[in-house]
Amino acid sequence: MTEPSPHSSAAGLLEVHRLRLVEVAAPQLPREERLAMDRAWEEAVRANPSLFDGPVVASAGLTWEGPNSVVLSWVRTTYRHYALRRVPGATSWLPSLFAAVVQPTEDGRLLVGRMSSTTASPGRWQLPGGSVEPPDDHEPLDVAALRRHAARELAEETGVDTPPDDLTLWGVTRGKRRSVGVLFLAPCQPEALLRERFAALVSAETALGREPELDRIALVRFFAELADLGGARVDYLERVVRRYAEERSGAMPDPDRSFDDGG
């Protein structure tokens, strides 16, 4: 299958100081697209039996409502819906929404991880993080909830247990295919501690007969070091590494305020 044409032309990293989340109704799927989605999902599960059709939050759009202030619209759906992106000509697919952690070392490098073979994107380098689950009834999906989710993902993927309140909203990514990521900056940690915690996590997961979500970590300072890792990487990663290096050096980051079609 071919991937649908993206609605935006480039990945972006937005400097956001205030984020407001608003739930909206999911779009109605035409019967033909629903049937095509089910076929694509079944095909994906046959290729990777570890996939599951659990609840997930998708992005419905981003809009500015003031300087460095963004409204993020979101919908409740399931992972099956993401298979619709593999269907040529489908128009009702939704971009993903995820929370991730920018984890620096004391000497200014950033931790990145490679997704393991049992994940939906094996071999892909990215920040520690993952898709967002919808809140329980009467519970809000807000920045605090995303912060808790990011802290949990950091612990589950790297073994680094950081209190959610120690994470700071750092930016919002907009992917080439309209995916949205909310990034949180973690306190600096010694390289030795990061490697020790990850090794302990891998050992514990292996002892239980499970494969960790990340099969490798690396510490990078410059884009060239990302390229040296080899393999695929998320489209926002270069912008993240560059902006962190600029902030650390005292340079003024290059702002990105465009939203293409609002998604």
Side-chain angles (χ1 to χ4, degrees):
M1 294 183 181
T2 59
E3 297 289 334
S5 298
H7 291 284
S8 59
S9 59
L13 175 57
L14 312 168
E15 186 175 354
V16 174
H17 301 161
R18 181 176 181 272
L19 177 65
R20 185 164 63 90
L21 293 97
V22 177
E23 183 176 6
V24 298
Q28 293 295 317
L29 292 182
R31 181 175 181 276
E32 295 78 9
E33 290 196 3
R34 179 174 295 279
L35 293 174
M37 176 187 70
D38 290 341
R39 289 193 297 268
W41 174 254
E42 291 165 3
E43 179 181 321
V45 171
R46 284 195 296 270
N48 186 352
S50 64
L51 298 178
F52 70 101
D53 189 24
V56 71
V57 168
S59 168
L62 289 169
T63 54
W64 292 105
E65 65 173 355
N68 302 113
S69 181
V70 167
V71 176
L72 168 57
S73 301
W74 63 275
V75 302
R76 298 172 189 262
T77 186
T78 70
Y79 283 97
R80 177 185 298 264
H81 188 101
Y82 290 155
L84 191 59
R85 292 179 290 189
R86 298 175 176 268
V87 177
T91 60
S92 302
W93 59 276
L94 293 168
S96 58
L97 171 64
F98 63 92
V101 178
V102 179
Q103 175 62 70
T105 61
E106 292 176 330
D107 64 357
R109 290 175 291 167
L110 296 181
L111 186 151
V112 296
R114 188 175 68 180
M115 301 295 287
S116 68
S117 60
T118 58
T119 64
S121 302
R124 186 180 71 183
W125 289 93
Q126 62 181 52
L127 297 177
S131 300
V132 177
E133 296 179 359
D136 295 332
D137 291 342
H138 310 301
E139 293 292 328
L141 181 62
D142 53 17
V143 172
L146 294 180
R147 185 182 290 112
R148 292 191 296 270
H149 179 81
R152 184 170 62 250
E153 291 286 342
L154 181 66
E156 291 177 353
E157 294 185 354
T158 71
V160 178
D161 191 5
T162 299
D165 288 346
D166 288 350
L167 300 179
T168 304
L169 179 64
W170 189 73
V172 174
T173 69
R174 179 207 53 210
K176 293 178 181 178
R177 300 178 66 247
R178 295 188 293 158
S179 63
V180 173
V182 181
L183 306 186
F184 294 92
L185 180 65
C188 296
Q189 299 286 1
E191 174 183 352
L193 182 142
L194 295 176
R195 295 195 181 280
E196 174 187 316
R197 296 287 173 83
F198 182 69
L201 174 68
V202 171
S203 178
E205 291 291 286
T206 302
L208 294 173
R210 298 194 296 246
E211 185 173 0
E213 292 185 62
L214 301 179
D215 63 13
R216 182 182 164 194
I217 62 169
L219 301 171
V220 299
R221 193 191 312 272
F222 305 111
F223 171 67
E225 294 173 319
L226 286 176
D228 290 342
L229 294 175
R233 56 183 177 270
V234 290
D235 52 16
Y236 63 80
L237 205 50
E238 177 186 356
R239 295 284 188 100
V240 169
V241 172
R242 183 194 306 153
R243 175 179 159 188
Y244 185 78
E246 289 172 345
E247 290 183 349
R248 184 174 172 84
S249 68
M252 183 66 67
D254 182 22
D256 182 349
R257 288 189 54 86
S258 62
F259 279 134
D260 298 299
D261 61 355

PDB file of all heavy atoms in Angstrom, residues 44-64:
ATOM      1  N   ALA A  44      -2.131  -5.273   8.881  1.00  0.00           N
ATOM      2  CA  ALA A  44      -1.069  -4.819   9.770  1.00  0.00           C
ATOM      3  C   ALA A  44      -0.870  -5.776  10.939  1.00  0.00           C
ATOM      4  O   ALA A  44       0.264  -6.056  11.348  1.00  0.00           O
ATOM      5  CB  ALA A  44      -1.378  -3.416  10.280  1.00  0.00           C
ATOM      6  N   VAL A  45      -1.959  -6.309  11.486  1.00  0.00           N
ATOM      7  CA  VAL A  45      -1.868  -7.243  12.609  1.00  0.00           C
ATOM      8  C   VAL A  45      -1.234  -8.560  12.172  1.00  0.00           C
ATOM      9  O   VAL A  45      -0.459  -9.171  12.919  1.00  0.00           O
ATOM     10  CB  VAL A  45      -3.252  -7.477  13.231  1.00  0.00           C
ATOM     11  CG1 VAL A  45      -3.211  -8.603  14.252  1.00  0.00           C
ATOM     12  CG2 VAL A  45      -3.761  -6.184  13.879  1.00  0.00           C
ATOM     13  N   ARG A  46      -1.543  -9.004  10.963  1.00  0.00           N
ATOM     14  CA  ARG A  46      -0.900 -10.226  10.470  1.00  0.00           C
ATOM     15  C   ARG A  46       0.610 -10.025  10.355  1.00  0.00           C
ATOM     16  O   ARG A  46       1.394 -10.942  10.641  1.00  0.00           O
ATOM     17  CB  ARG A  46      -1.481 -10.619   9.110  1.00  0.00           C
ATOM     18  CG  ARG A  46      -2.850 -11.260   9.180  1.00  0.00           C
ATOM     19  CD  ARG A  46      -3.212 -11.949   7.878  1.00  0.00           C
ATOM     20  NE  ARG A  46      -3.329 -10.993   6.775  1.00  0.00           N
ATOM     21  CZ  ARG A  46      -4.442 -10.378   6.438  1.00  0.00           C
ATOM     22  NH1 ARG A  46      -5.563 -10.610   7.131  1.00  0.00           N
ATOM     23  NH2 ARG A  46      -4.472  -9.525   5.421  1.00  0.00           N
ATOM     24  N   ALA A  47       1.028  -8.818   9.959  1.00  0.00           N
ATOM     25  CA  ALA A  47       2.457  -8.543   9.827  1.00  0.00           C
ATOM     26  C   ALA A  47       3.120  -8.341  11.192  1.00  0.00           C
ATOM     27  O   ALA A  47       4.309  -8.663  11.359  1.00  0.00           O
ATOM     28  CB  ALA A  47       2.673  -7.309   8.959  1.00  0.00           C
ATOM     29  N   ASN A  48       2.370  -7.838  12.171  1.00  0.00           N
ATOM     30  CA  ASN A  48       2.910  -7.585  13.511  1.00  0.00           C
ATOM     31  C   ASN A  48       1.837  -7.938  14.537  1.00  0.00           C
ATOM     32  O   ASN A  48       1.042  -7.090  14.938  1.00  0.00           O
ATOM     33  CB  ASN A  48       3.328  -6.121  13.650  1.00  0.00           C
ATOM     34  CG  ASN A  48       4.028  -5.844  14.975  1.00  0.00           C
ATOM     35  OD1 ASN A  48       4.084  -6.690  15.861  1.00  0.00           O
ATOM     36  ND2 ASN A  48       4.562  -4.642  15.114  1.00  0.00           N
ATOM     37  N   PRO A  49       1.785  -9.202  14.992  1.00  0.00           N
ATOM     38  CA  PRO A  49       0.728  -9.646  15.910  1.00  0.00           C
ATOM     39  C   PRO A  49       0.712  -8.917  17.249  1.00  0.00           C
ATOM     40  O   PRO A  49      -0.257  -9.044  18.000  1.00  0.00           O
ATOM     41  CB  PRO A  49       1.042 -11.135  16.101  1.00  0.00           C
ATOM     42  CG  PRO A  49       1.841 -11.533  14.904  1.00  0.00           C
ATOM     43  CD  PRO A  49       2.649 -10.311  14.564  1.00  0.00           C
ATOM     44  N   SER A  50       1.758  -8.170  17.584  1.00  0.00           N
ATOM     45  CA  SER A  50       1.782  -7.460  18.860  1.00  0.00           C
ATOM     46  C   SER A  50       0.917  -6.200  18.848  1.00  0.00           C
ATOM     47  O   SER A  50       0.669  -5.602  19.890  1.00  0.00           O
ATOM     48  CB  SER A  50       3.220  -7.074  19.235  1.00  0.00           C
ATOM     49  OG  SER A  50       3.751  -6.153  18.300  1.00  0.00           O
ATOM     50  N   LEU A  51       0.425  -5.784  17.682  1.00  0.00           N
ATOM     51  CA  LEU A  51      -0.444  -4.612  17.605  1.00  0.00           C
ATOM     52  C   LEU A  51      -1.779  -4.896  18.289  1.00  0.00           C
ATOM     53  O   LEU A  51      -2.281  -6.014  18.232  1.00  0.00           O
ATOM     54  CB  LEU A  51      -0.681  -4.222  16.147  1.00  0.00           C
ATOM     55  CG  LEU A  51       0.545  -3.810  15.332  1.00  0.00           C
ATOM     56  CD1 LEU A  51       0.127  -3.501  13.896  1.00  0.00           C
ATOM     57  CD2 LEU A  51       1.234  -2.611  15.956  1.00  0.00           C
ATOM     58  N   PHE A  52      -2.351  -3.878  18.930  1.00  0.00           N
ATOM     59  CA  PHE A  52      -3.653  -4.056  19.577  1.00  0.00           C
ATOM     60  C   PHE A  52      -4.511  -2.824  19.315  1.00  0.00           C
ATOM     61  O   PHE A  52      -4.003  -1.719  19.159  1.00  0.00           O
ATOM     62  CB  PHE A  52      -3.505  -4.306  21.074  1.00  0.00           C
ATOM     63  CG  PHE A  52      -3.046  -3.089  21.846  1.00  0.00           C
ATOM     64  CD1 PHE A  52      -3.959  -2.329  22.572  1.00  0.00           C
ATOM     65  CD2 PHE A  52      -1.715  -2.700  21.848  1.00  0.00           C
ATOM     66  CE1 PHE A  52      -3.547  -1.204  23.273  1.00  0.00           C
ATOM     67  CE2 PHE A  52      -1.292  -1.574  22.554  1.00  0.00           C
ATOM     68  CZ  PHE A  52      -2.206  -0.833  23.262  1.00  0.00           C
ATOM     69  N   ASP A  53      -5.815  -3.048  19.302  1.00  0.00           N
ATOM     70  CA  ASP A  53      -6.751  -1.983  18.950  1.00  0.00           C
ATOM     71  C   ASP A  53      -7.302  -1.332  20.212  1.00  0.00           C
ATOM     72  O   ASP A  53      -8.502  -1.350  20.466  1.00  0.00           O
ATOM     73  CB  ASP A  53      -7.884  -2.557  18.091  1.00  0.00           C
ATOM     74  CG  ASP A  53      -8.759  -1.460  17.509  1.00  0.00           C
ATOM     75  OD1 ASP A  53      -8.265  -0.317  17.382  1.00  0.00           O
ATOM     76  OD2 ASP A  53      -9.918  -1.745  17.169  1.00  0.00           O
ATOM     77  N   GLY A  54      -6.428  -0.729  21.004  1.00  0.00           N
ATOM     78  CA  GLY A  54      -6.848  -0.078  22.228  1.00  0.00           C
ATOM     79  C   GLY A  54      -7.253   1.376  21.999  1.00  0.00           C
ATOM     80  O   GLY A  54      -7.067   1.928  20.915  1.00  0.00           O
ATOM     81  N   PRO A  55      -7.804   2.011  23.028  1.00  0.00           N
ATOM     82  CA  PRO A  55      -8.210   3.422  22.900  1.00  0.00           C
ATOM     83  C   PRO A  55      -7.004   4.330  22.783  1.00  0.00           C
ATOM     84  O   PRO A  55      -5.954   4.093  23.394  1.00  0.00           O
ATOM     85  CB  PRO A  55      -8.989   3.682  24.192  1.00  0.00           C
ATOM     86  CG  PRO A  55      -8.440   2.681  25.168  1.00  0.00           C
ATOM     87  CD  PRO A  55      -8.099   1.465  24.358  1.00  0.00           C
ATOM     88  N   VAL A  56      -7.144   5.394  22.011  1.00  0.00           N
ATOM     89  CA  VAL A  56      -6.051   6.331  21.798  1.00  0.00           C
ATOM     90  C   VAL A  56      -6.636   7.699  21.464  1.00  0.00           C
ATOM     91  O   VAL A  56      -7.798   7.810  21.040  1.00  0.00           O
ATOM     92  CB  VAL A  56      -5.119   5.831  20.665  1.00  0.00           C
ATOM     93  CG1 VAL A  56      -5.803   5.946  19.304  1.00  0.00           C
ATOM     94  CG2 VAL A  56      -3.787   6.561  20.662  1.00  0.00           C
ATOM     95  N   VAL A  57      -5.848   8.730  21.672  1.00  0.00           N
ATOM     96  CA  VAL A  57      -6.232  10.095  21.339  1.00  0.00           C
ATOM     97  C   VAL A  57      -5.554  10.489  20.030  1.00  0.00           C
ATOM     98  O   VAL A  57      -4.365  10.246  19.839  1.00  0.00           O
ATOM     99  CB  VAL A  57      -5.819  11.071  22.461  1.00  0.00           C
ATOM    100  CG1 VAL A  57      -5.938  12.516  22.003  1.00  0.00           C
ATOM    101  CG2 VAL A  57      -6.672  10.844  23.696  1.00  0.00           C
ATOM    102  N   ALA A  58      -6.307  11.085  19.126  1.00  0.00           N
ATOM    103  CA  ALA A  58      -5.765  11.588  17.867  1.00  0.00           C
ATOM    104  C   ALA A  58      -5.893  13.108  17.825  1.00  0.00           C
ATOM    105  O   ALA A  58      -6.724  13.701  18.514  1.00  0.00           O
ATOM    106  CB  ALA A  58      -6.487  10.965  16.676  1.00  0.00           C
ATOM    107  N   SER A  59      -5.076  13.718  16.994  1.00  0.00           N
ATOM    108  CA  SER A  59      -5.125  15.169  16.837  1.00  0.00           C
ATOM    109  C   SER A  59      -6.185  15.559  15.809  1.00  0.00           C
ATOM    110  O   SER A  59      -6.345  14.907  14.784  1.00  0.00           O
ATOM    111  CB  SER A  59      -3.762  15.698  16.375  1.00  0.00           C
ATOM    112  OG  SER A  59      -3.853  17.039  15.946  1.00  0.00           O
ATOM    113  N   ALA A  60      -6.895  16.650  16.097  1.00  0.00           N
ATOM    114  CA  ALA A  60      -7.874  17.183  15.144  1.00  0.00           C
ATOM    115  C   ALA A  60      -7.498  18.576  14.677  1.00  0.00           C
ATOM    116  O   ALA A  60      -8.257  19.190  13.921  1.00  0.00           O
ATOM    117  CB  ALA A  60      -9.269  17.199  15.769  1.00  0.00           C
ATOM    118  N   GLY A  61      -6.340  19.088  15.106  1.00  0.00           N
ATOM    119  CA  GLY A  61      -5.914  20.391  14.611  1.00  0.00           C
ATOM    120  C   GLY A  61      -5.251  21.254  15.661  1.00  0.00           C
ATOM    121  O   GLY A  61      -5.409  21.045  16.866  1.00  0.00           O
ATOM    122  N   LEU A  62      -4.477  22.222  15.189  1.00  0.00           N
ATOM    123  CA  LEU A  62      -3.797  23.193  16.034  1.00  0.00           C
ATOM    124  C   LEU A  62      -4.164  24.597  15.561  1.00  0.00           C
ATOM    125  O   LEU A  62      -4.225  24.855  14.364  1.00  0.00           O
ATOM    126  CB  LEU A  62      -2.278  23.041  15.923  1.00  0.00           C
ATOM    127  CG  LEU A  62      -1.606  21.824  16.551  1.00  0.00           C
ATOM    128  CD1 LEU A  62      -0.159  21.748  16.098  1.00  0.00           C
ATOM    129  CD2 LEU A  62      -1.693  21.880  18.062  1.00  0.00           C
ATOM    130  N   THR A  63      -4.379  25.495  16.504  1.00  0.00           N
ATOM    131  CA  THR A  63      -4.610  26.901  16.159  1.00  0.00           C
ATOM    132  C   THR A  63      -3.936  27.783  17.201  1.00  0.00           C
ATOM    133  O   THR A  63      -3.898  27.454  18.387  1.00  0.00           O
ATOM    134  CB  THR A  63      -6.105  27.257  16.106  1.00  0.00           C
ATOM    135  OG1 THR A  63      -6.727  26.891  17.352  1.00  0.00           O
ATOM    136  CG2 THR A  63      -6.809  26.524  14.965  1.00  0.00           C
ATOM    137  N   TRP A  64      -3.399  28.912  16.750  1.00  0.00           N
ATOM    138  CA  TRP A  64      -2.850  29.894  17.682  1.00  0.00           C
ATOM    139  C   TRP A  64      -4.003  30.682  18.297  1.00  0.00           C
ATOM    140  O   TRP A  64      -4.961  31.025  17.623  1.00  0.00           O
ATOM    141  CB  TRP A  64      -1.928  30.868  16.951  1.00  0.00           C
ATOM    142  CG  TRP A  64      -0.650  30.280  16.441  1.00  0.00           C
ATOM    143  CD1 TRP A  64      -0.350  29.974  15.154  1.00  0.00           C
ATOM    144  CD2 TRP A  64       0.503  29.928  17.216  1.00  0.00           C
ATOM    145  NE1 TRP A  64       0.924  29.442  15.073  1.00  0.00           N
ATOM    146  CE2 TRP A  64       1.467  29.412  16.332  1.00  0.00           C
ATOM    147  CE3 TRP A  64       0.816  30.000  18.577  1.00  0.00           C
ATOM    148  CZ2 TRP A  64       2.721  28.974  16.759  1.00  0.00           C
ATOM    149  CZ3 TRP A  64       2.063  29.562  19.010  1.00  0.00           C
ATOM    150  CH2 TRP A  64       2.999  29.068  18.100  1.00  0.00           C
TER     151      TRP A  64
END
